[in-house]
Every structure is written in structure tokens, then in C-alpha cells.
Amino acid sequence: RQKYQLHVHYLLEHEFQPLVCNHKQSLVHLLYGRKGLQLSRIFAYDNYDIYVNGDYTPPLPTAKPTQLSMKDRKSGIKTLDVAFGNNQFVTVGCAEDYCREGDQGGVMVSANGTQWRMITVPFIGHAIVFHQDRFIVASALGFYYSKDGLTWVKGNTYEENNHDSVAHIQELEYLGGQFVAVGRHGLVMTSDNGDDWTVRHLDDNNQPTFDHLSFINGRYVTVGLGNGAHSKALVSDDGINWSIQATQQVSEDASEGINLNNVYAIGELFYGYSSMGFHSSPDGVIWSAPTKLSLIDEDDELITNLSNIGYAGGAYIHYVNDLFVTYSNYEFNGRGYFTTSVDGIHWQRRDSNFGDAWKGNHSAEFSFFNQFHVTFGNDTFVIVSDESGDSVQSNNGGLSWQRKQTRGGK
């Protein structure tokens, strides 16, 4: 059989009639208009069978999305998010010094987290997620889709209306059987299929930014950052109706507001960090008293009773593949390092093949301006930066980390 040739047997007056469609013909065109046609079986060149029950009226042909133009580049990408899927690490961000709308967008793709292919694209991706065999990216210009990170098509565009647009998405996840996006000004958008999105929470300039999203036991919880976000969480029990609620810490004496820097769903509970320590919660609103942290430093000495770990009181702590990972600069001679924990409480500095890591220090061997991102795939943890254009990876469960330079000359 020829490739793309389909052999169709359709039921007509109780007898099966053959119909052949080759690569130059459209099966939809051949079948369209045969009202009452009942397909019994379709045989493709790879012997894959598709069964259709009942009467069938083929749909009209639809236009194929136009692939976006892209161009290889030599210098690195300022990464705003990273995901793994289809055996590929894919980062999104911008190819300029500042990720401002109108600047050139950038994507990096790698099979191993070491060798990266860097390309420019006509969009700046703010967040990326992989689900159902494709990557989905949120950009100010709309949603973009790709199976391999190299070929992209544009989806629906959502017009700017009272800050009601994908331009404000900070985090994009697939949780609880649906896609959920959260971001600046209290924006929440959801989608069942990743193509058609609905705004679930009204945008308002007076509402805070939410960008740490978790889901467990039917409840979505996201905590906020920046102005107006102190001691608040955005909560939903169905993904449709969302409300901002005050987060409270319960102590022996009384309840008081608690400002969480991040939130994670592990087992049957939510967990989060504040400037006081590590907390747990059954609902994301009422939180336990803090548990102090400990750290094994670069001299293998145990430091206990710490209120926080990592930069900005835990704002940069990531939980990926059952491992907590963060950048820390706690009394390491002014230098920063990556530390890990399996329970979020007991931390240890990890070996690396680079001298230092530093927030905002361009001379450091690995630096980040506002954020770094972590993902896991092919038995490898990969960390990417919004500043250096380099990556750091670990293929032994986070015990040691190696810097992989992705930058090059323009």
C-alpha cells in the first residue's frame, strides 16, 4: 500500500462497499455529502483500525494552522519558563536584554539538557506546560503550540480588555483534569482542551499577582506576590469559581495572618514557606505554626533553627520530582550555591563544578536576575536562568550539579 493511502469499507444497503483514498485526495471530500453513511472500519497504511458507530456525516475540511517562521541563533535565551515532554527540554523567553513586549522571542530545545538548539520566534513565552503530546505556551500575543519545540503554530488571540488577557499569565499548569493559568492582577483562565480558554476570575488592578499554583483533593490554591498579596490566597473547589481568602497561621494563642512565598501539594496536604519557616495546611487557607529549618553547610556543619532558606525567604524554592531545590547564599563567604531537601525542612548544600551562583551578579558563573526554573526529564534535573543563558543540571538525583554553557557569540 502507498503511504497515506486509506482503504475504507462503508456500509451501503447492508453491503460493504470499497472506497480508496490516496495521498492526493481528501477522504473528507470523498465522503462528504454521502448522507446516512455508516463507516464500519478504516484501514490505514500502518494497519491501525478506527471504529465508528452509528450514522456519520463527515465534517467540512478545516484550514491547517500556518507554521511560524523561526531562525537559529548562537547566543543564549533569557528563560522565563521550562518544561519537558516528548523527550525534549524546551525553554521559552526572550532573545533581548529585557523581556519587553515587542522584543524578539526565544526558545531553547535540548534532548539532554547539555546541548541546546536556540531559535528566535515571533513571541515571548511567559509560561509553558506539556500535556497530551504537545507544548502550550502563553504569550502576550496569544497561545502557541508545538510538539517538538521547534515548529510552532498560533492559537486563539484574546484581546486586551481591562487587563483581561494572556499577557498577564505568570504560571500555566495542567491540574485536576484541566489547564489552569494564573497571573497578574488576579487573572485566572481555564481550558478543558488547551485551545479554548475562559476567564474565571475578573482582572482588577487592585488585586495581587498570583503565580504559585497547586492542586489536591479537588481544591486549587495559588498564593500571591507583590503589592496587595500579603496574607492572601486565591482558592477554588471547581476551577470555575475563585475567591481571594486571607491566609491564617494557627498558634496556641491565636490566629494571625501569614504571608506565603510558595505553595506545594504533597500527599494529602498543602505545604508552603514563609519568612518564619515551613508550614502545612489541609485547605490552603488555615496553616500550621512554622517548623524551623536546618542546613548542612559547605563545611558539613549542621546549622539549625533557621527561619528561611534560599533567596527572599523561600520565593525561589522549587519542588520537582519529589525534591526541593533552591539557590541559597546563607553565610557561604558571600557566594551562592544550590541546596536540596527531600522533606522541605532538612537542607544540604550540594557539590557543583562551578565557583558560585548569584542573584543579579553578572560576573558569577551562574546568575539569575529575577528567577530560575527547574524541570525534570530523562532522569535529569535541569535548571535554567533568566539572566545567564546557561543551564545547570544533575543526573544523580540532585546530589551534585554541573554547569552547562549555552551562550555563544552573536
Side-chain angles (χ1 to χ4, degrees), residues 319-323 376 381:
Y319 183 69
V320 179
N321 197 52
D322 300 328
L323 185 71
F376 180 84
F381 288 94

Side-chain angles (χ1 to χ4, degrees), residues 122-368:
F123 63 89
I124 296 177
H126 298 153
I128 183 173
V129 65
F130 179 86
H131 185 69
Q132 292 179 339
D133 198 41
R134 65 176 178 170
F135 295 93
I136 302 178
V137 171
S139 163
L141 303 177
F143 290 95
Y144 293 82
Y145 305 87
S146 175
K147 287 183 175 292
D148 58 7
L150 298 174
T151 303
W152 294 87
V153 296
K154 185 178 180 181
N156 296 331
T157 300
Y158 296 84
E159 298 297 331
E160 184 82 13
N161 180 19
N162 191 29
H163 298 286
D164 181 8
S165 89
V166 295
H168 299 290
I169 292 176
Q170 299 286 95
E171 184 166 355
L172 181 60
E173 302 286 351
Y174 184 82
L175 297 170
Q178 65 180 332
F179 294 92
V180 182
V182 296
R184 298 194 300 271
H185 308 297
L187 174 68
V188 180
M189 299 180 72
T190 66
S191 173
D192 292 330
N193 55 18
D195 296 307
D196 305 303
W197 292 80
T198 302
V199 175
R200 296 300 186 184
H201 191 265
L202 294 177
D203 241 347
D204 190 323
N205 278 323
N206 296 322
Q207 293 179 351
T209 293
F210 294 96
D211 65 349
H212 297 292
L213 178 65
S214 288
F215 173 84
I216 198 170
N217 295 331
R219 167 161 282 205
Y220 297 90
V221 173
T222 177
V223 295
L225 293 174
N227 295 333
H230 185 77
S231 302
K232 292 180 180 178
L234 188 57
V235 179
S236 174
D237 290 322
D238 56 11
I240 299 174
N241 302 292
W242 294 75
S243 62
I244 295 180
Q245 300 187 27
T247 51
Q248 298 287 319
Q249 171 189 304
V250 177
S251 62
E252 294 181 358
D253 300 326
S255 296
E256 58 181 324
I258 178 175
N259 190 39
L260 295 160
N261 294 316
N262 215 328
V263 63
Y264 320 87
I266 307 172
E268 296 296 313
L269 294 173
F270 293 100
Y271 293 89
Y273 287 94
S274 73
S275 60
M276 299 175 290
F278 194 54
H279 306 258
S280 63
S281 171
D283 59 7
V285 176
I286 305 300
W287 292 83
S288 68
T291 299
K292 297 298 183 180
L293 312 178
S294 67
L295 172 68
I296 298 179
D297 69 8
E298 60 181 347
D299 298 319
D300 290 329
E301 294 183 0
L302 179 64
I303 305 172
T304 61
N305 202 37
L306 295 175
S307 295
N308 59 73
I309 193 82
Y311 181 82
Y316 295 94
I317 295 177
H318 297 264
Y319 183 69
V320 179
N321 197 52
D322 300 328
L323 185 71
F324 289 91
V325 180
T326 193
Y327 153 89
S328 177
N329 62 344
Y330 183 83
E331 294 184 358
F332 284 153
N333 300 320
R335 304 191 316 181
Y337 299 89
F338 287 103
T339 58
T340 67
S341 172
V342 294
D343 61 6
I345 299 172
H346 305 93
W347 291 82
Q348 183 169 358
R349 178 209 162 181
R350 296 305 182 183
D351 294 332
S352 65
N353 71 339
F354 53 92
D356 58 356
W358 194 257
K359 182 186 184 296
N361 186 346
H362 297 272
S363 63
E365 292 193 39
F366 181 84
S367 64
F368 61 98

